[in-house]
Amino acid sequence: MLQKCEGIVIRTNDYGETNKIVTIYTRELGKVGVMARGAKKPNSRLSSSTQLFTYGYFLFQKSSGLGGLQQGETISSMRGIREDIFLTAYASYAAELLDKSTEQNEPNPFLFELFSQTLQRLNEGVDPDVLLYIFEMKIVNVLGMYPQLDSCVNCSSKDGTFHFSIRENGFICHRCFEADPYRLQISQATAKLLRLFYYFDLERLGKVTVKPETKAELKMVIDSYYSEYSGIFLKSKKFLDQIESLKGKLT
């Protein structure tokens, strides 16, 4: 049975001398794996459409195991990402996080839109740090993590000064600070952005300018939270951290 899907290539693995196993995150079917025969040959009609981050339409033979890719029609090659080592690092992390957070053949149009918009905005030059923080905050629910960010986890108060408690799984207000002496002390700008990134749609987000010190706090909270609760450790995350460190030295 032939199936046509709108999708984005999130992983490729060489198979033999000329073939590729391509993992595509699709709007219609979620994550699917397909065999692209001959895709490693320079003159193959599947060569360009099976490049990492390529967004397009894919026609493949659907099966219970690995399908066979018949045709790929590129909508966007995301060339701006692939030609920039820094953007490649950000996109690779988002792709691996999506890959590790999802199972095969579980459709989730929301996740497809989130990933698609993240790549498109990366490709357009939107702040990659901000895009990644939003992506990470949106994925937490997929991983079964539900932080409380609309009120204090301890007393349910919605006003006051908030810090983030890894132990209590959410915001803790100034009245309850003693409940967690190990809470992460953050500015209220950081608290506001964590809440915003968690609840608001990426497509509704306008231009956001985030100060370096606020970015550092966002990264601290999100990295600590993932480390404690997600149970996943990604090679691309380690590489991204190295790239970010290099970028910091160059600027």
Side-chain angles (χ1 to χ4, degrees), residues 235-248:
K235 289 180 183 176
S236 57
K237 173 62 175 167
K238 189 175 180 181
F239 178 62
L240 177 62
D241 288 343
Q242 291 170 344
I243 283 285
E244 285 181 330
S245 175
L246 175 63
K247 188 169 72 170

PDB file of all heavy atoms in Angstrom, residues 235-248:
ATOM      1  N   LYS A 235      23.420  12.639  22.579  1.00  0.00           N
ATOM      2  CA  LYS A 235      24.743  13.037  22.088  1.00  0.00           C
ATOM      3  C   LYS A 235      24.706  14.460  21.512  1.00  0.00           C
ATOM      4  O   LYS A 235      25.640  15.230  21.667  1.00  0.00           O
ATOM      5  CB  LYS A 235      25.207  12.064  21.005  1.00  0.00           C
ATOM      6  CG  LYS A 235      25.580  10.679  21.509  1.00  0.00           C
ATOM      7  CD  LYS A 235      26.013   9.808  20.353  1.00  0.00           C
ATOM      8  CE  LYS A 235      26.329   8.390  20.825  1.00  0.00           C
ATOM      9  NZ  LYS A 235      26.661   7.498  19.686  1.00  0.00           N
ATOM     10  N   SER A 236      23.601  14.765  20.829  1.00  0.00           N
ATOM     11  CA  SER A 236      23.492  16.078  20.189  1.00  0.00           C
ATOM     12  C   SER A 236      23.443  17.204  21.211  1.00  0.00           C
ATOM     13  O   SER A 236      23.857  18.330  20.924  1.00  0.00           O
ATOM     14  CB  SER A 236      22.239  16.132  19.307  1.00  0.00           C
ATOM     15  OG  SER A 236      21.083  15.849  20.073  1.00  0.00           O
ATOM     16  N   LYS A 237      22.962  16.905  22.414  1.00  0.00           N
ATOM     17  CA  LYS A 237      22.919  17.919  23.473  1.00  0.00           C
ATOM     18  C   LYS A 237      24.337  18.253  23.936  1.00  0.00           C
ATOM     19  O   LYS A 237      24.680  19.429  24.135  1.00  0.00           O
ATOM     20  CB  LYS A 237      22.080  17.409  24.643  1.00  0.00           C
ATOM     21  CG  LYS A 237      22.091  18.295  25.885  1.00  0.00           C
ATOM     22  CD  LYS A 237      21.519  19.674  25.632  1.00  0.00           C
ATOM     23  CE  LYS A 237      21.428  20.469  26.912  1.00  0.00           C
ATOM     24  NZ  LYS A 237      21.167  21.902  26.662  1.00  0.00           N
ATOM     25  N   LYS A 238      25.157  17.230  24.078  1.00  0.00           N
ATOM     26  CA  LYS A 238      26.547  17.443  24.481  1.00  0.00           C
ATOM     27  C   LYS A 238      27.281  18.262  23.424  1.00  0.00           C
ATOM     28  O   LYS A 238      28.032  19.189  23.741  1.00  0.00           O
ATOM     29  CB  LYS A 238      27.230  16.079  24.676  1.00  0.00           C
ATOM     30  CG  LYS A 238      28.607  16.157  25.308  1.00  0.00           C
ATOM     31  CD  LYS A 238      29.158  14.765  25.583  1.00  0.00           C
ATOM     32  CE  LYS A 238      30.535  14.853  26.213  1.00  0.00           C
ATOM     33  NZ  LYS A 238      31.098  13.501  26.464  1.00  0.00           N
ATOM     34  N   PHE A 239      27.039  17.921  22.149  1.00  0.00           N
ATOM     35  CA  PHE A 239      27.672  18.653  21.051  1.00  0.00           C
ATOM     36  C   PHE A 239      27.186  20.101  21.024  1.00  0.00           C
ATOM     37  O   PHE A 239      27.981  21.031  20.827  1.00  0.00           O
ATOM     38  CB  PHE A 239      27.358  17.961  19.720  1.00  0.00           C
ATOM     39  CG  PHE A 239      27.934  18.664  18.521  1.00  0.00           C
ATOM     40  CD1 PHE A 239      29.310  18.817  18.380  1.00  0.00           C
ATOM     41  CD2 PHE A 239      27.110  19.182  17.528  1.00  0.00           C
ATOM     42  CE1 PHE A 239      29.858  19.461  17.277  1.00  0.00           C
ATOM     43  CE2 PHE A 239      27.650  19.833  16.422  1.00  0.00           C
ATOM     44  CZ  PHE A 239      29.022  19.964  16.296  1.00  0.00           C
ATOM     45  N   LEU A 240      25.883  20.302  21.247  1.00  0.00           N
ATOM     46  CA  LEU A 240      25.326  21.661  21.250  1.00  0.00           C
ATOM     47  C   LEU A 240      25.961  22.504  22.351  1.00  0.00           C
ATOM     48  O   LEU A 240      26.306  23.672  22.129  1.00  0.00           O
ATOM     49  CB  LEU A 240      23.808  21.618  21.435  1.00  0.00           C
ATOM     50  CG  LEU A 240      23.105  22.978  21.527  1.00  0.00           C
ATOM     51  CD1 LEU A 240      23.283  23.775  20.244  1.00  0.00           C
ATOM     52  CD2 LEU A 240      21.621  22.796  21.828  1.00  0.00           C
ATOM     53  N   ASP A 241      26.129  21.918  23.532  1.00  0.00           N
ATOM     54  CA  ASP A 241      26.754  22.654  24.640  1.00  0.00           C
ATOM     55  C   ASP A 241      28.183  23.066  24.289  1.00  0.00           C
ATOM     56  O   ASP A 241      28.635  24.166  24.636  1.00  0.00           O
ATOM     57  CB  ASP A 241      26.739  21.803  25.916  1.00  0.00           C
ATOM     58  CG  ASP A 241      25.338  21.675  26.519  1.00  0.00           C
ATOM     59  OD1 ASP A 241      24.460  22.493  26.158  1.00  0.00           O
ATOM     60  OD2 ASP A 241      25.128  20.769  27.340  1.00  0.00           O
ATOM     61  N   GLN A 242      28.898  22.175  23.594  1.00  0.00           N
ATOM     62  CA  GLN A 242      30.265  22.502  23.163  1.00  0.00           C
ATOM     63  C   GLN A 242      30.255  23.636  22.131  1.00  0.00           C
ATOM     64  O   GLN A 242      31.088  24.550  22.183  1.00  0.00           O
ATOM     65  CB  GLN A 242      30.932  21.253  22.557  1.00  0.00           C
ATOM     66  CG  GLN A 242      31.239  20.171  23.580  1.00  0.00           C
ATOM     67  CD  GLN A 242      31.672  18.868  22.927  1.00  0.00           C
ATOM     68  OE1 GLN A 242      31.472  18.661  21.726  1.00  0.00           O
ATOM     69  NE2 GLN A 242      32.254  17.974  23.709  1.00  0.00           N
ATOM     70  N   ILE A 243      29.298  23.562  21.213  1.00  0.00           N
ATOM     71  CA  ILE A 243      29.165  24.592  20.169  1.00  0.00           C
ATOM     72  C   ILE A 243      28.809  25.943  20.789  1.00  0.00           C
ATOM     73  O   ILE A 243      29.345  26.991  20.412  1.00  0.00           O
ATOM     74  CB  ILE A 243      28.089  24.163  19.138  1.00  0.00           C
ATOM     75  CG1 ILE A 243      28.651  23.099  18.202  1.00  0.00           C
ATOM     76  CG2 ILE A 243      27.571  25.352  18.341  1.00  0.00           C
ATOM     77  CD1 ILE A 243      29.619  23.605  17.159  1.00  0.00           C
ATOM     78  N   GLU A 244      27.897  25.926  21.757  1.00  0.00           N
ATOM     79  CA  GLU A 244      27.494  27.161  22.434  1.00  0.00           C
ATOM     80  C   GLU A 244      28.679  27.789  23.167  1.00  0.00           C
ATOM     81  O   GLU A 244      28.841  29.008  23.185  1.00  0.00           O
ATOM     82  CB  GLU A 244      26.345  26.886  23.406  1.00  0.00           C
ATOM     83  CG  GLU A 244      25.002  26.683  22.730  1.00  0.00           C
ATOM     84  CD  GLU A 244      23.879  26.432  23.723  1.00  0.00           C
ATOM     85  OE1 GLU A 244      24.144  25.864  24.798  1.00  0.00           O
ATOM     86  OE2 GLU A 244      22.745  26.808  23.409  1.00  0.00           O
ATOM     87  N   SER A 245      29.491  26.928  23.773  1.00  0.00           N
ATOM     88  CA  SER A 245      30.684  27.417  24.474  1.00  0.00           C
ATOM     89  C   SER A 245      31.653  28.073  23.480  1.00  0.00           C
ATOM     90  O   SER A 245      32.220  29.135  23.737  1.00  0.00           O
ATOM     91  CB  SER A 245      31.374  26.257  25.188  1.00  0.00           C
ATOM     92  OG  SER A 245      32.579  26.666  25.778  1.00  0.00           O
ATOM     93  N   LEU A 246      31.808  27.432  22.316  1.00  0.00           N
ATOM     94  CA  LEU A 246      32.677  27.972  21.261  1.00  0.00           C
ATOM     95  C   LEU A 246      32.129  29.298  20.751  1.00  0.00           C
ATOM     96  O   LEU A 246      32.875  30.271  20.558  1.00  0.00           O
ATOM     97  CB  LEU A 246      32.786  26.960  20.117  1.00  0.00           C
ATOM     98  CG  LEU A 246      33.567  27.394  18.866  1.00  0.00           C
ATOM     99  CD1 LEU A 246      35.029  27.670  19.214  1.00  0.00           C
ATOM    100  CD2 LEU A 246      33.471  26.332  17.783  1.00  0.00           C
ATOM    101  N   LYS A 247      30.796  29.346  20.557  1.00  0.00           N
ATOM    102  CA  LYS A 247      30.159  30.569  20.067  1.00  0.00           C
ATOM    103  C   LYS A 247      30.372  31.723  21.053  1.00  0.00           C
ATOM    104  O   LYS A 247      30.610  32.862  20.654  1.00  0.00           O
ATOM    105  CB  LYS A 247      28.661  30.319  19.835  1.00  0.00           C
ATOM    106  CG  LYS A 247      27.951  31.470  19.135  1.00  0.00           C
ATOM    107  CD  LYS A 247      26.549  31.088  18.694  1.00  0.00           C
ATOM    108  CE  LYS A 247      25.614  30.962  19.857  1.00  0.00           C
ATOM    109  NZ  LYS A 247      24.212  30.815  19.421  1.00  0.00           N
ATOM    110  N   GLY A 248      30.296  31.380  22.338  1.00  0.00           N
ATOM    111  CA  GLY A 248      30.489  32.397  23.372  1.00  0.00           C
ATOM    112  C   GLY A 248      31.890  32.993  23.322  1.00  0.00           C
ATOM    113  O   GLY A 248      32.091  34.189  23.563  1.00  0.00           O
TER     114      GLY A 248
END
